[in-house]
Amino acid sequence: MTRDIDITVAICTYNGADRVPEVLDHLHAQEEVEQVDWEVLVVDNNSTDETSEVVEQYKDAWNRPADLRCVVETRQGLAFARQRVIDESTSTLVAFLDDDNLPAPDWVAEVV
């Protein structure tokens, strides 16, 4: 049985090993999300760098109620990556961030 998730925050990235950490830091610091059941889903769009490994390192140290997941989409292109988010998500809402978007501290709460 899967739990009901309010929102999936999705980051689709290609070779984002240098960019994704800052986005994850901003998501980790989200405020006013105590009543929100949310997850962060990074879609590695067939990167040739260490994107997936970087996310896995964050996952090991992630101490938020929000889950952090990473999946690899081998079909190149943003449309394939976004479709993978839709296929993987079980949430009511999906919010997309680019790998160079830095959300404000209350971004998740405001989106929900």
Side-chain angles (χ1 to χ4, degrees):
M1 173 182 253
T2 59
R3 73 179 204 266
D4 292 331
I5 298 175
D6 299 317
I7 187 168
T8 298
V9 176
I11 306 164
C12 298
T13 185
Y14 172 73
N15 288 344
D18 292 336
R19 295 180 304 277
V20 168
E22 193 170 10
V23 182
L24 292 176
D25 288 341
H26 278 74
L27 290 171
H28 190 268
Q30 288 296 293
E31 302 168 354
E32 302 175 32
V33 290
E34 296 81 13
Q35 303 302 316
V36 179
D37 195 0
W38 60 298
E39 69 175 346
V40 177
L41 176 59
V42 178
V43 177
D44 178 345
N45 194 201
N46 209 29
S47 297
T48 59
D49 68 359
E50 296 80 31
T51 297
S52 290
E53 291 83 358
V54 168
V55 176
E56 287 303 316
Q57 290 171 356
Y58 264 80
K59 187 176 173 180
D60 290 343
W62 193 260
N63 62 348
R64 295 288 293 182
D67 291 336
L68 172 59
R69 299 190 291 138
C70 183
V71 296
V72 175
E73 174 53 60
T74 58
R75 296 172 296 170
Q76 197 71 48
L78 185 57
F80 292 118
R82 287 188 174 168
Q83 184 61 52
R84 183 67 184 266
V85 170
I86 300 305
D87 294 344
E88 293 280 336
S89 175
T90 60
S91 63
T92 305
L93 302 171
V94 175
F96 289 96
L97 285 172
D98 290 334
D99 62 10
D100 60 353
N101 293 152
L102 303 178
D106 64 345
W107 185 79
V108 170
E110 288 297 315
V111 169
V112 172

